[in-house]
Amino acid sequence: MCFFDQHRFQCGDWKWGHFRQHCNREYRTGETCGMKLIMQTVPVNQKCKLCEKIDTKQRRRAAEVERILRWRREGSKFTASIDRSMSIVKTLEKEINDLGYEKQRRLQAI
């Protein structure tokens, strides 16, 4: 039951921080017993890596949708580009959903 800092992000996700104190079970220097307890919680004013990835993919998806709409307004000369962008949008939606499920799984594991 060694003590560590905990970094808590804006979204509620967290990660382990630096090692702070040994417990009574572990006597070797530089080793921990394997059980982690929180010494203090440090609030971090930024999003976690998963939220940043989700935001990036959502911005890219919005840009692709805007391109598709623009090409449809201009006429039917960009059909191959529209089809390609539609497939990109579908893959981005799948990746966004997968990252959302991963985030929910991590939050439920707390």
Side-chain angles (χ1 to χ4, degrees):
M1 298 181 297
C2 296
F3 293 92
F4 290 81
D5 286 341
Q6 178 192 42
H7 297 280
R8 184 164 296 274
F9 296 101
Q10 287 177 341
C11 62
D13 200 6
W14 60 275
K15 71 175 183 177
W16 290 112
H18 295 291
F19 171 77
R20 291 296 172 198
Q21 182 179 352
H22 280 287
C23 65
N24 295 334
R25 289 182 167 181
E26 190 55 56
Y27 59 89
R28 297 175 292 180
T29 303
E31 298 291 326
T32 60
C33 67
M35 293 183 68
K36 293 184 176 182
L37 293 177
I38 298 170
M39 175 71 91
Q40 68 179 9
T41 300
V42 180
V44 179
N45 290 327
Q46 63 184 20
K47 294 181 179 179
C48 67
K49 296 281 186 190
L50 281 175
C51 288
E52 288 177 2
K53 286 182 183 179
I54 290 171
D55 288 346
T56 302
K57 289 185 186 298
Q58 286 176 341
R59 284 193 305 268
R60 185 167 173 218
R61 182 193 173 280
E64 289 293 329
V65 168
E66 179 60 35
R67 267 190 217 128
I68 291 170
L69 294 175
R70 187 181 73 234
W71 287 333
R72 284 186 179 161
R73 281 192 307 259
E74 291 177 2
S76 62
K77 58 184 176 180
F78 297 109
T79 55
S81 298
I82 291 172
D83 292 340
R84 182 176 164 270
S85 287
M86 296 274 288
S87 67
I88 290 172
V89 167
K90 286 180 184 177
T91 58
L92 286 172
E93 286 174 351
K94 182 185 180 310
E95 291 172 359
I96 290 169
N97 286 335
D98 291 345
L99 289 171
Y101 291 140
E102 176 68 20
K103 181 174 172 53
Q104 289 300 319
R105 187 189 65 76
R106 285 190 59 159
L107 288 176
Q108 288 175 354
I110 294 177

